[in-house]
């Protein structure tokens, strides 16, 4: 909500060759309160950019607010609060897009109009393709969410000629021109050489191609190449990065400038500078100048041969050709002057100003919106730790959104499977709604139709089939975000909503066993996601190194663990004549060596403590080695309350898992009831130990002998081990209630 | 008194019979309301192929002719006339011809003879009797020998038949596909890609002819399109008011992607084109105004008027008798008749109970109707809560295979009855006899008619808490008793069970609201539309 009625514009565009003209006409059009960016993204377009504070003096906003707005990287890193603050003082935000997620941020958090300023789509494609590439296909939805508040402002009308309706219908006319006065004086033409403007050779493939073609074609000519360079080019004719003044001097002195015009749908700033300076330009047809109305200029050539003929004539002193070209350029230049283009800008600004006012009034009549929802989805019929992790995640989202004052309803989805009973979900908070679903596959043409109906005008299927979560209601489209626990998707999800994956591990990376060729689809699932949440640094590294996803998509969060209430002190100390081993059937749990260790513990080390084995599938021993000792008791999968009782009476908890897995949070549960743990030493457990300050005892899980010795050590030195267990209040600081804010912060960035 | 003339633009596809369309009935109600306004007259411009069915519709609905005139281009396209002749021929060819009767008689005699022979063979004990049985065969062979030239012909015929069979075996599948395609084109022309393209061409051409007529009508102050399917409406160079009932496909992309194929997608694009080219809009609810037009299509809210529906009163279809028992018997007979007609097999054919207890939901089967949730809730009530009621739906189960699959998978074929194609009096009777009307729909353009239709015949209702129901049914106490969370089938089941147990008190509460809603009639709806039309046709006033 605006705090005053002064019309202000954020001009978050970094194109220093255009900025002077744009600010000049903006002011002439009646906008005198303009904020320009001071922090720039690490993007090639912004390399070498320096902040310009010249316009800050005209802003009538409180100094601390201005200071804060100036400290923000609006292109990439502005927070919801930053955008909300900006919305209090600015009606319009004109921005360049380097990171597509800026669209999501402005759609959600900025209340004013949003104008995407563009000087051409990347790589000669369309802006719609850029939106899709930069946002994992979600940008179209965000733009549509902006509705009447969104506009495109191409620097020239033809730059948006091939866009789909959702962009083409929202164009506001802010044409780019050139300032009247030539910088540093008029053209001299004393140096008999042809100039090519070609920045970023060796960085930008298109620039490299242009340079190479030019040097081949103009071999034998005297030439220079101007433009900022960022890698060393072994060619003395490439002048490298020059100051603006030096660059203009070179341009003034050159007899002729050649423009190959390979990118008609991108603004050629050097060409505009050349026109302004008066340098005669020889150019190939079909380029930017053609689009700007220069198709009748005498400098226009059909091919390189014609261009070389004209250049040669000019270099050898054909003054009449030079004069013809210059005078015709002058008439083109007049059409690009601020005076000629000002009516477009004035009209555009007036339209924005009027719309900003009307939107403010209209929004007050808007009926209240229905509660928004987020889905937490278990894609496989997981039980045990993954189910518990999913429920904790749902709880974190519920608490986090509520605490942030942005209450979302959480919908918990598990497969419609007989493995679950109502008891499995009895501990979900009553405000978390539960649904079941089944996987349903859509053929490519059905998928395309679904996406068209959902408002994606340009999305095309890249797979033969897409997965849909059939909940019998709305296929989860009533939820704003799909939060999928694990990456186990065999078929790509139809991206009707943004998807976030919570990935616990990449065990397949460390195992010879394959996952039946399905691994690639798991990798693709996370690549298609908006974000990947991980709970250990180890998994984060795997997400980057193995799945190959962008680092900024991976967010590491503290692990959520179930904690039991600490036992009330009754004075009766239990016997503690056993220890607890939580396991399941998974091979990576290191069962074989663990039973060997038990054999040594009972037979050679005279182990006194019984071993209570619990977990899914532990109802009975499954191999001969597991039956050997009567001290090993198989309890099966226990309900939480029974498990808690068992744990509270234990001497310690034993986690002999293999060297690689996603960690075992039983050690946290044990610590919450003041029971120490003996654990295999591997990265995930080290990270848990660090996060919860568990004071774990360690053993080498690949050596049964040392495992057995560690067991004996726990038996003998229990008192010492107990003293390392963190106190209850420290454990509470890692409770889901305390960590929910971190989760919400990461998740809301994807809404 | 000066009379203002407004236009209504209709561009239904060929072969659509307006008498079977909801919009047709809406149009009739609208024009009846117009008849009450002496200073207004409407001209309806429609394609050549629609005028006949429009006239029939208005006659059936007793719309006074004083309120409107119908204008359409002359002469239907020739291919359409040909199609109509074909369909009427097909209908006629369904009746047995003299040749077919003769053929049937020969077949029947042959069967009787064969039965006789077999019976005799099976039952005879004497060898002589058995041989005697073959005498007729021998006699036939003798005659055949005498007529040997004919036998040669017969053999040639048999050979020909053999060759024909071989050819059929080779190319039969292809021929069968051609035949199927032909039948599909003739039976459901709008589902065929080629026919659909032809329809579009016809519509395009007809749109041009209609446009010419419209351009000649300079006395029409503003034009109204009652639906958003016709982007050609935007070519009219006069103030235009486009009605957008809803764009429900946008909210249920997964569900709708699996039905209707590309025909639905093309219709969807037509709707989008209409909206994008629109000038002024009217919707039935704020929900569609804001959620669809403003938020999805970036329409200026100042250009969107909201005109709510008037209640649908079905009471006139129920006989006014003093005896409740007599009313129920009459309605019961209609119900049983509908069950016998619609429920296939002997279960439906032999159905007798005219005092059936049931829940009722009258609606097409569409992905936005939330029927799986209703079926899940119903299954729970039947199997776990033992309520004993049936669930009667009025949609066509073939329209959404997932519904049929659910019913079959859970063995509900005799519990969930689909009474598709109910006549209006049968619909009223079903509402009257139902213990409870249930509407689980997740999305509607305006407040669903279930509420007023059920209460107009004294049946209570439970309905989904969605934007449009909250917009119209605003009494908090009524909302608490009537609404359920449509995303939670358990909540739906609980609400239904509660409503069945508290039917009287719920009805009493809902009747109060119904009386208030019933104050509004279709005349009011028309008046509000006319206000908008007057405003856009004379923006300075």
């Amino acid at each position: 909500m605006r705090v005053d009625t002064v019309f202000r514009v954020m001009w978050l565009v970094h194109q220093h060759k255009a900025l002077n003209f744009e600010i000049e006409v903006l002011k002439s059009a009646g906008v005198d309160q303009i904020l320009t960016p001071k922090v720039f993204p690490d993007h090639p377009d912004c390399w070498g950019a320096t902040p310009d504070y010249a316009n800050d003096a005209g802003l009538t906003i409180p100094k601390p607010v201005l200071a804060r707005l100036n400290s923000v990287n609006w292109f990439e890193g502005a927070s919801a609060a930053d955008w909300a603050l900006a919305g209090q003082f600015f009606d319009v935000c004109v921005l360049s897009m380097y990171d597509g997620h800026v669209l999501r941020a402005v759609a959600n958090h900025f209340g004013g109009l949003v104008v995407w300023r563009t000087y051409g789509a990347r790589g000669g494609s369309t802006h719609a393709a850029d939106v899709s590439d930069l946002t994992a296909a979600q940008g179209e939805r965000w733009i549509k969410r902006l509705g009447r508040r969104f506009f495109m402002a191409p620097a020239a009308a033809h730059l948006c000629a091939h866009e789909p309706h959702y962009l083409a219908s929202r164009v506001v006319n802010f044409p780019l021109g050139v300032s009247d006065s030539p910088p540093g004086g008029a053209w001299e033409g004393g140096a008999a050489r042809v100039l090519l403007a070609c920045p970023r050779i060796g960085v930008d493939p298109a620039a490299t191609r242009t340079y190479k073609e030019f040097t081949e074609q103009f071999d034998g000519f005297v030439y220079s190449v101007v433009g900022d360079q960022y890698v060393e080019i072994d060619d003395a004719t490439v002048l490298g990065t020059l100051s603006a003044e030096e660059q203009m001097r070179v341009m003034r002195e050159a007899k002729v400038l050649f423009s190959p015009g390979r990118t008609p749908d991108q603004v050629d700033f050097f060409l505009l500078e050349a026109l302004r300076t008066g340098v005669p330009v020889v150019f190939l047809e079909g380029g930017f100048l053609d689009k700007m109305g220069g198709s009748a200029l005498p400098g226009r050539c059909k091919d390189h041969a014609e261009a070389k003929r004209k250049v040669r004539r000019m270099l050898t002193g054909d003054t009449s050709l030079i004069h013809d070209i210059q005078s015709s350029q002058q008439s083109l230049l007049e059409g690009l002057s601020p005076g000629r283009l000002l009516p477009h800008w004035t009209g555009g600004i007036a339209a924005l100003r009027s719309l900003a006012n009307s939107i403010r009034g209209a929004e007050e009549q808007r009926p209240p919106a229905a509660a928004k929802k987020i889905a937490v989805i278990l894609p496989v019929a997981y039980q045990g730790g993954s189910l518990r992790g999913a429920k904790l995640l749902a709880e974190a989202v519920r608490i986090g959104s509520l605490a942030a004052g942005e209450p979302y309803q959480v919908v918990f989805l598990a497969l419609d499977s007989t493995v679950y009973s109502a008891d499995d979900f009895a501990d979900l908070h009553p405000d978390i709604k539960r649904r079941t679903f089944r996987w349903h596959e859509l053929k490519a043409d059905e998928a395309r139709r679904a996406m068209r109906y959902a408002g994606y005008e340009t999305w095309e299927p890249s797979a033969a089939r897409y997965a849909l979560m059939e909940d019998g209601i709305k296929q989860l489209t009533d939820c704003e975000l799909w939060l999928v626990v694990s990456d186990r998707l065999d078929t790509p999800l139809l991206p009707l909503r943004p998807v976030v994956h919570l990935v616990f591990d990449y065990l397949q990376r460390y195992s010879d066993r394959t996952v039946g060729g399905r691994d690639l689809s798991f990798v693709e699932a996370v690549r298609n996601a908006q974000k990947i949440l991980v709970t250990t640094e180890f998994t984060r590294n795997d997400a980057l190194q193995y799945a190959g996803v962008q680092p900024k998509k991976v967010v590491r969060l503290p692990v959520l663990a179930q904690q039991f209430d600490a036992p009330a002190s009754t004075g009766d100390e239990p016997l503690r004549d056993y220890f607890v081993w939580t396991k399941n059937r998974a091979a990576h749990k290191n069962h074989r060596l663990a039973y060997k260790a038990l054999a040594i513990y009972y037979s050679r080390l005279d182990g006194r403590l019984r071993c209570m084995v619990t977990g899914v599938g532990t109802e009975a021993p499954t191999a001969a080695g597991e039956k050997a000792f009567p001290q090993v008791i198989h309890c099966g999968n226990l309900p939480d309350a029974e498990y808690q009782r068992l744990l509270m009476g234990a001497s310690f908890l034993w986690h002999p898992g293999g060297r690689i897995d996603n960690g075992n949070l039983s050690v946290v549960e044990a610590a919450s009831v003041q029971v120490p743990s003996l654990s295999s030493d591997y990265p995930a457990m080290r990270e848990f130990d660090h996060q919860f300050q568990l004071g774990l005892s360690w053993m080498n899980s690949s050596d049964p002998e040392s495992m057995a010795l560690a067991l004996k050590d726990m038996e003998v030195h229990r008192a010492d081990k107990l003293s390392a267990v963190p106190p209850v209040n420290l454990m509470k600081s890692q409770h889901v209630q305390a960590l929910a804010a971190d989760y919400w912060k990461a998740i809301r960035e994807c809404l | 008194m000066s009379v203002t003339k407004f236009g209504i633009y209709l561009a239904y596809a060929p072969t659509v019979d307006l008498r079977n369309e909801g919009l047709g009935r809406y149009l009739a109600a609208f024009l009846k309301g117009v008849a009450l306004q002496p200073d207004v007259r409407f001209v309806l411009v429609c394609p050549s192929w629609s005028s006949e069915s429009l006239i029939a519709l208005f006659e059936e609905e007793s719309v006074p002719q004083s309120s409107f005139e119908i204008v359409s281009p002359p002469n239907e396209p020739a291919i359409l006339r040909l199609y109509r002749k074909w369909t009427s021929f097909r209908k006629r060819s369904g009746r047995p011809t003299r040749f077919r009767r003769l053929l049937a008689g020969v077949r029947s005699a042959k069967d009787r003879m064969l039965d006789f022979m077999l019976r005799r063979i099976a039952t005879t004990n004497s060898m002589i009797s058995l041989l005697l049985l073959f005498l007729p065969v021998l006699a036939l062979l003798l005659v055949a020998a005498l007529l040997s030239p004919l036998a040669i012909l017969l053999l040639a015929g048999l050979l020909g038949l053999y060759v024909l069979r071989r050819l059929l075996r080779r190319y039969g599948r292809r021929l069968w596909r051609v035949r199927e395609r032909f039948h599909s084109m003739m039976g459901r022309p709008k589902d065929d890609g080629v026919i659909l393209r032809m329809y579009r061409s016809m519509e395009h051409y007809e749109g041009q002819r209609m446009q010419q007529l419209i351009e000649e009508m300079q006395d029409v102050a503003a034009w109204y399109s009652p639906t958003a399917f016709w982007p050609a409406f935007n070519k009219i160079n006069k103030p235009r008011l486009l009605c957008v009932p809803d764009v429900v496909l946008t909210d249920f992309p997964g569900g709708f992607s699996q039905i209707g194929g590309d025909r639905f997608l093309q219709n969807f694009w037509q709707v989008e084109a209409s909206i994008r080219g629109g000038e002024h809009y009217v919707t039935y609810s704020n929900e569609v105004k804001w959620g669809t037009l403003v938020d999805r299509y970036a329409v200026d809210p100042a250009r969107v008027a909201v005109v709510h529906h008037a209640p649908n009163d079905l009471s006139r279809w129920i006989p006014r008798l003093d005896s409740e028992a007599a009313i129920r018997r009459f309605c019961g007979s209609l119900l049983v008749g509908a069950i016998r007609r619609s429920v296939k097999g002997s279960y439906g054919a032999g159905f007798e109970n005219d005092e059936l207890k049931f829940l009722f939901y009258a609606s097409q089967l569409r992905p936005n109707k939330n029927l799986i949730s209703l079926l899940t809730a119903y299954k729970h009530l039947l199997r776990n809560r033992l309520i004993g009621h049936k669930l009667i739906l009025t949609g066509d189960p073939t329209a959404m295979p997932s519904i049929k699959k659910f019913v079959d998978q859970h063995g509900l074929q005799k519990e969930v009855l689909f009474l598709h194609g109910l006549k209006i009096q049968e619909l009223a009777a079903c509402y009257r006899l139902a213990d409870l009307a249930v509407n689980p729909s997740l999305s509607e353009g305006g407040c669903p008619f279930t509420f007023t239709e059920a209460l107009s015949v004294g049946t209570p209702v439970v309905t989904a808490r969605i934007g449009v129901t909250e917009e119209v049914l605003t009494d908090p106490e009524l909302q608490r008793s009537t609404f359920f969370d449509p995303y939670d089938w358990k909540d739906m089941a609980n609400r239904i069970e509660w409503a069945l147990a508290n039917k009287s008190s719920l009805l009493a509460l809902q009747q109060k609201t119904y009386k208030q809603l019933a104050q509004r009639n279709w005349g009011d709806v028309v008046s509000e539309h006319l206000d908008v039309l007057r405003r856009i046709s004379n923006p300075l006033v």
Side-chain angles (χ1 to χ4, degrees), chain B residues 303-363:
Chain B
R303 292 186 171 274
V304 188
V306 176
V307 177
H308 288 111
H309 287 312
N312 251 8
D313 183 355
L314 294 180
S315 61
R316 70 191 170 107
W317 299 103
I318 305 295
R320 294 177 193 280
L321 302 170
D322 291 335
S323 160
E324 171 66 13
I327 294 172
R328 292 190 74 83
R329 200 169 307 121
F330 173 79
C331 292
S333 67
L334 291 178
L335 171 67
V336 168
I339 292 174
R340 287 179 179 175
R341 188 179 66 234
S342 302
V343 179
K344 302 284 178 242
S346 59
Y347 184 76
F351 205 89
E352 292 176 339
N353 182 7
D354 59 359
E355 295 176 11
L356 190 67
K357 296 181 85 60
F358 64 94
L359 309 172
F360 186 57
Y361 178 38
S363 168

Side-chain angles (χ1 to χ4, degrees), chain A residues 144-148 165-166 170 358 362-367 373 409 433-436 438 440-442 445-457 468 470-475 477-478 494 496-497, chain B residues 249-266 268-269 272 276 286-287 289-291 294-296 298-302 367-368 370-373 409-410 442-443 485-488 490:
Chain A
K144 287 182 172 170
R145 190 186 293 173
L146 281 162
R148 290 194 302 152
H165 182 273
Y166 79 95
R170 304 300 303 167
S358 90
E363 286 303 305
E364 286 161 13
Q365 297 163 20
R366 179 186 283 276
K373 300 174 193 169
Q409 188 180 88
K433 298 283 181 185
R434 197 167 79 78
R435 286 186 209 163
T436 57
R438 290 175 184 206
H440 180 79
E441 284 194 351
L442 292 185
D445 60 331
E446 291 173 329
R448 185 190 291 107
R449 274 200 297 273
M451 293 300 279
R452 293 288 180 275
Y453 295 152
Y456 295 86
E457 291 173 26
L468 201 62
E470 182 52 80
D471 60 353
I473 304 175
K474 219 176 166 182
Q475 295 88 36
T477 52
D478 56 316
L494 188 67
L496 291 166
R497 291 290 178 268
Chain B
L249 279 73
T250 61
D251 284 331
F252 298 85
F256 278 105
S257 71
Q258 297 165 70
I259 59 171
D262 280 345
R263 180 168 66 86
F264 270 36
L265 183 60
Q266 285 182 20
F268 174 71
W269 281 335
E272 292 213 312
R276 284 168 179 162
N286 274 305
E287 182 80 2
K289 170 180 174 172
W290 288 95
V294 177
D295 289 347
R296 167 128 185 177
V299 171
D300 179 355
N368 58 314
N370 201 20
L371 281 150
I372 295 290
S373 294
Q409 268 180 350
H410 294 93
L442 293 162
S443 169
D485 176 0
Y487 294 92
D488 183 350
K490 281 185 191 154

Side-chain angles (χ1 to χ4, degrees), chain A residues 653-686:
Chain A
L653 181 128
W654 189 40
H655 170 49
R659 62 190 178 85
I660 292 296
D661 73 11
N662 56 346
N664 185 337
L665 288 164
S666 303
V667 294
V668 180
E669 293 162 358
S672 70
V673 292
Q674 300 295 291
V675 170
S677 296
L678 170 63
S679 171
S680 298
D681 191 356
Y682 60 92
M685 294 310 291
R686 284 281 174 185

